[in-house]
Amino acid sequence: MKVVKFGGSSLASAQQLQKVLDIVKSDPSRRFVVVSAPGKRNPEDTKVTDALIKYYRSYTNEDDVSGHQEWIINRYKVIIDELGLSHTILDKISAAITDLATLPIEGNDFLYDTFLAAGEDNNAKLVAAYFRKNGLPARYLHPGKAGIIVSSEPGNAQILPGSYDKLEELRDSDEVLVIPGFFGVTVDKQICTFSRGGSDISGSIVAAGVKADLYENFTDVDGIFAAHPGVVHKPHSIKKLTYREMRELAYAGFSVLHDEALIPAYRGRIPLVIKNTNNPNHPGTRIVLEHSKQELPVVGISGDDNFVSINISKYLMNREVGFGRKVLQVLEDLNIRWEHIPTGIDDMSIILRERELTPIKEREIQAHLTQNLGVDEVEFERNLSIIMIVGENMKNQVGVMSRATKAMSDKGINIEMISQGSSEVSVMLVIQSKHEKTAIRAIYKAFFDQESQDKN
Ligand code: ASP
């Protein structure tokens, strides 16, 4: 039994919906369909979710909302008309969109979420109607009815553990269940969304709940590439990678799947495959619990910029009990998240994302460290990028690092810092951002020459 999730670009037009229908019809084990809101039809287009945000803003500012309502309703209408669906479904959607502007504004913590969720909710109704019209027994199911019960954290809902048992009851349904992604309901029956892009999370939750054999996540690319296609010319798509590898790649800029989406499927031990709605015969990328046989040491290389390193040195730092804790306390008190801490004997560097800092916070850190902790030097080093070289099989092979560092030295790139966790799932290199693209290309070449690509 499979749970299938379709992203916004797969549901953006009647033409895309036809592909979705073919995909679901072609495999009777595709029994649960989780949908996003209609996405962009072209790069200039607006996602329905973004249009709903504008609508919400106008409503709460008490501006005229009719333009927004019309735009959103028309977005569905175009699809409905092209698919030849009856106007009963359009009337329902139209009423649901207009009624949003009757909800109380004051004291309504979930109003924003309710607006946003309407994109997915109405789309699921549309998709179910379209499936039925084409001879596929299908039924729309609201997440509240399905049992997706979440914490009361607007815009950042977390699934409550009890949800899974309720979802399991859906296994026996003899219809294809079409469930809107992106939101659940709280114990008090309020609509509460996951963070943006959260339909991936819904799909993963449903897959874990119904104990699916596979969670298929349909998007608009042939799976996950071994490097960013904007950086490396025609990188190959990865056939198989583990959850841990996926997490490491996603951390540094691979955004095919929402990073929270991996958790429910991983805990439920459900394999996941990322496939392309526009090329469904391509096998895509399979995310598995572990590699079955020895494969290439490296599965992919990702990179991300806008990192800052706070370089701290203090003579005899290694002898001072509690020094590290005190430094991190300074950051915690300023509500700053850090990412990595490579250390030396008398120095430590704290790597964080630029967005965590403000000029005021920076001055406070400087002052605390020099005045209260007596450090000799504090330097804020900017314009840094991290490169993640990812592969669980690295730990079984000698010479991986030397290949990577040789690729860098051949290009004359200085490695500012290196960090490798004991699990050896990844090696992280810190370099100056101006070298990021060259570095990724060089490392890609070092690990994936033609011969090894064929084997992968
Ligand atoms: N429609 C929502 C968004 O744009 C959720 C999703 O598509 O996954 O963030």
Side-chain angles (χ1 to χ4, degrees):
M1 184 211 294
K2 294 175 186 161
V3 171
V4 210
K5 180 257 166 180
F6 291 96
S9 61
S10 305
L11 302 160
S13 65
Q15 198 193 4
Q16 290 300 84
L17 273 159
Q18 277 155 12
K19 296 179 191 166
V20 166
L21 174 70
D22 290 344
I23 291 169
V24 177
K25 264 191 151 176
S26 68
D27 182 347
S29 64
R30 292 182 170 136
R31 302 249 315 273
F32 297 88
V33 178
V34 175
V35 297
S36 281
K40 293 184 181 191
R41 290 159 290 187
N42 54 60
E44 286 74 46
D45 203 5
T46 305
K47 283 174 144 197
V48 165
T49 310
D50 291 323
L52 285 160
I53 294 178
K54 291 191 196 143
Y55 175 21
Y56 164 85
R57 292 215 179 105
S58 291
Y59 176 53
T60 50
N61 280 337
E62 296 181 17
D63 294 341
D64 178 19
V65 292
S66 54
H68 297 297
Q69 291 175 335
E70 270 163 38
W71 191 92
I72 296 164
I73 294 167
N74 192 49
R75 212 42 200 82
Y76 290 102
K77 182 176 182 298
V78 172
I79 301 175
I80 289 170
D81 286 347
E82 283 185 35
L83 294 175
L85 298 181
S86 92
H87 269 204
T88 328
I89 181 74
L90 178 63
D91 294 343
K92 270 195 203 155
I93 293 178
S94 179
I97 299 295
T98 344
D99 286 352
L100 288 170
T102 60
L103 297 171
I105 298 177
E106 293 306 318
N108 189 351
D109 292 342
F110 297 93
L111 184 65
Y112 182 71
D113 292 38
T114 308
F115 266 71
L116 261 65
E120 274 57 20
D121 198 39
N122 289 296
N123 212 24
K125 290 178 190 159
L126 190 162
V127 171
Y130 173 55
F131 283 180
R132 274 198 306 275
K133 180 170 184 270
N134 287 279
L136 192 69
R139 179 162 60 94
Y140 153 84
L141 185 64
H142 189 275
K145 290 260 161 57
I148 303 181
I149 312 300
V150 297
S151 62
S152 297
E153 293 170 82
N156 190 30
Q158 305 293 319
I159 189 76
L160 299 184
S163 301
Y164 293 109
D165 290 341
K166 182 93 175 57
L167 279 161
E168 198 179 344
E169 293 168 16
L170 303 176
R171 277 177 68 94
D172 301 328
S173 163
D174 36 21
E175 288 154 310
V176 171
L177 297 179
V178 184
I179 305 172
F182 190 35
F183 71 99
V185 297
T186 66
V187 174
D188 300 329
K189 308 241 175 323
Q190 300 284 353
I191 300 283
C192 191
T193 71
F194 300 113
S195 52
R196 286 297 306 265
S199 299
D200 285 340
I201 307 175
S202 307
S204 181
I205 290 169
V206 174
V210 303
K211 301 200 162 62
D213 300 305
L214 186 64
Y215 169 28
E216 294 179 308
N217 189 297
F218 278 86
T219 171
D220 51 10
V221 282
D222 289 336
I224 297 169
F225 297 110
H228 197 290
V231 177
V232 170
H233 180 62
K234 292 205 175 152
H236 65 280
S237 75
I238 306 171
K239 275 189 188 144
K240 209 184 325 156
L241 78 169
T242 64
Y243 276 93
R244 291 198 319 165
E245 289 168 338
M246 178 66 206
R247 161 88 180 108
E248 303 270 337
L249 287 171
Y251 169 76
F254 274 39
S255 57
V256 180
L257 198 71
H258 193 300
D259 50 5
E260 284 176 52
L262 296 174
I263 305 162
Y266 175 71
R267 295 209 177 122
R269 306 190 73 76
I270 317 283
L272 188 163
V273 64
I274 295 176
K275 288 183 66 104
N276 189 352
T277 303
N278 306 316
N279 189 14
N281 294 328
H282 189 287
T285 299
R286 225 178 146 86
I287 303 175
V288 294
L289 295 159
E290 54 197 30
H291 285 298
S292 47
K293 60 176 172 44
Q294 284 300 348
E295 276 148 287
L296 287 173
V298 172
V299 294
I301 302 138
S302 63
D304 207 2
D305 56 3
N306 289 323
F307 283 87
V308 180
S309 176
I310 310 175
N311 300 331
I312 304 164
S313 35
K314 182 177 185 188
Y315 187 55
L316 299 182
M317 186 190 280
N318 67 324
R319 297 218 198 143
E320 194 176 324
V321 173
F323 182 77
R325 181 188 54 73
K326 288 181 206 149
V327 172
L328 294 182
Q329 189 66 53
V330 174
L331 299 187
E332 185 176 338
D333 292 345
L334 293 167
N335 197 22
I336 290 175
R337 258 181 277 245
W338 56 269
E339 305 286 331
H340 307 276
I341 312 188
T343 56
I345 304 169
D346 285 342
D347 53 75
M348 71 192 275
S349 295
I350 305 178
I351 299 175
L352 34 95
R353 294 188 190 258
E354 176 87 55
R355 61 169 183 256
E356 295 290 319
L357 289 176
T358 59
I360 297 175
K361 286 189 177 181
E362 199 171 317
R363 276 198 297 279
E364 294 239 0
I365 296 171
Q366 182 97 35
H368 272 293
L369 294 179
T370 42
Q371 288 156 24
N372 306 342
L373 302 187
V375 309
D376 300 322
E377 262 176 65
V378 185
E379 177 207 18
F380 286 79
E381 195 181 348
R382 304 199 121 77
N383 300 323
L384 296 176
S385 286
I386 61 166
I387 308 282
M388 304 287 287
I389 307 172
V390 178
E392 291 215 38
N393 281 330
M394 284 196 296
K395 62 175 172 290
N396 303 320
Q397 302 213 11
V398 176
V400 173
M401 187 68 112
S402 77
R403 245 153 109 184
T405 50
K406 179 164 185 317
M408 303 288 270
S409 68
D410 286 351
K411 293 281 172 198
I413 300 172
N414 183 36
I415 302 172
E416 310 262 328
M417 273 166 264
I418 299 184
S419 168
Q420 182 187 46
S422 56
S423 62
E424 287 188 51
V425 183
S426 70
V427 174
M428 184 192 77
L429 308 178
V430 179
I431 59 168
Q432 287 180 11
S433 292
K434 62 180 181 206
H435 298 308
E436 183 184 320
K437 288 189 173 154
T438 317
I440 294 176
R441 284 184 202 121
I443 298 172
Y444 181 87
K445 205 157 164 248
F447 286 102
F448 306 113
D449 53 20
Q450 198 49 50
E451 190 199 344
S452 49
Q453 272 190 49
D454 293 342
K455 272 191 270 163
N456 199 30

